[in-house]
Amino acid sequence: MFTGIVEEIGEIEEIRRNGESLELVIKCSFAKELSIGESVAVNGTCLTVTKKTPSTFSADVTPESFRRTSLSELQSGKSVNLERAMKANGRFGGHIVSGHIDGTGRIKGARAEGNAVNATFTVDKKLGKYIIEKGSVCIDGISLTVASVSYGRETDFTVAVIPHTWENTTLSKKPLGSLVNIECDMVGKYIEHFMLFNQEFNQENEAEQESAEADSAALAELMTNFTSFH
């Protein structure tokens, strides 16, 4: 579990590719403190530490993560947002982040307003339905608040990024059109799932009840006809 508060900007030291599987070697200051099997969010994607040195750690990227995230576009020397898993007694500075990426979006624009940078992103309708004004969204591992949203064939939404976040994450380094990882608020996803599941369950029960009633009526008619015949 993570909070979307980026701990450090790491650097991709090496990428070992095998089709749609990757092994990332990432340089960061806290590598020596990591344990094998520990979770680290890399651009918002929860990965497991498999190897480490005093200055780097390695993590595997599965084909599922390769296809669903922007990790497939990483190159050696590129910067990545890093966050270690939240401690049970830690402060919850951002929002509930699982590190399970829902999909990707693209940076559509960025403009300064006062002390903030208003960054606009575009995602497809499938993800867009979970984006709500003043709701939370995790972009490349950064917990951000949606300032405005526009729904259509694609969904455009804007977040106001404070100077600290702009300067201490990879957002400021990404050109327009760059692919970013998107994790939508998990609360909304669970609510939708439970509502749809309950609706389908009730429909199945109604159908089974109607079928049972029809069978009972048919049996009653058969018994009536049989009695009349005799």
Side-chain angles (χ1 to χ4, degrees), residues 10-229:
E11 180 183 327
I12 300 295
E13 185 169 277
E14 185 180 355
I15 302 177
R16 299 169 185 142
R17 300 178 183 271
N18 181 15
E20 291 189 339
S21 299
L22 304 176
E23 183 182 19
L24 304 179
V25 181
I26 301 170
K27 186 177 181 179
C28 69
S29 67
F30 56 74
K32 59 181 177 296
E33 302 171 28
L34 295 172
S35 300
I36 302 301
E38 187 173 343
S39 296
V40 178
V42 179
N43 279 355
T45 309
C46 180
L47 299 179
T48 301
V49 177
T50 57
K51 303 171 188 173
K52 70 169 190 171
T53 71
S55 61
T56 68
F57 72 92
S58 299
D60 293 324
V61 177
T62 65
E64 162 65 12
S65 295
F66 182 93
R67 292 188 292 266
R68 191 179 286 261
T69 74
S70 65
L71 297 183
S72 59
E73 296 195 347
L74 287 177
Q75 298 175 356
S76 296
K78 291 291 186 180
S79 298
V80 287
N81 295 322
L82 301 176
E83 181 190 357
R84 285 178 282 186
M86 179 186 175
K87 293 182 178 180
N89 63 348
R91 291 185 180 276
F92 221 123
H95 71 281
I96 300 173
V97 176
S98 67
H100 303 158
I101 302 301
D102 293 303
T104 56
R106 291 194 180 275
I107 302 176
K108 190 173 184 179
R111 64 179 180 83
E113 182 184 16
N115 66 346
V117 174
N118 294 329
T120 301
F121 301 85
T122 185
V123 296
D124 62 29
K125 289 176 63 175
K126 184 179 179 181
L127 293 185
K129 64 180 178 179
Y130 301 114
I131 306 293
I132 63 172
E133 188 172 326
K134 299 308 174 186
S136 297
V137 62
C138 192
I139 302 173
D140 267 356
I142 309 164
S143 174
L144 294 163
T145 301
V146 178
S148 64
V149 58
S150 176
Y151 302 105
R153 296 183 64 180
E154 291 186 322
T155 299
D156 293 342
F157 67 94
T158 299
V159 295
V161 185
I162 63 172
H164 176 82
T165 302
W166 187 253
E167 294 163 6
N168 291 280
T169 68
T170 61
L171 271 184
S172 59
K173 300 175 176 61
K174 290 182 176 288
L176 296 183
S178 294
L179 203 65
V180 292
N181 290 325
I182 303 289
E183 181 184 334
C184 303
D185 183 18
M186 69 167 62
V187 175
K189 292 184 289 185
Y190 274 107
I191 291 173
E192 179 191 49
H193 170 76
F194 291 142
M195 290 181 65
L196 292 175
F197 182 84
N198 191 51
Q199 181 180 350
E200 292 174 0
F201 181 77
N202 288 337
Q203 289 174 346
E204 289 176 1
N205 278 350
E206 289 174 3
E208 288 175 359
Q209 184 175 354
E210 289 175 0
S211 178
E213 290 174 354
D215 290 343
S216 296
L219 180 60
E221 182 179 0
L222 177 63
M223 292 301 295
T224 299
N225 291 338
F226 181 79
T227 303
S228 299
F229 176 78

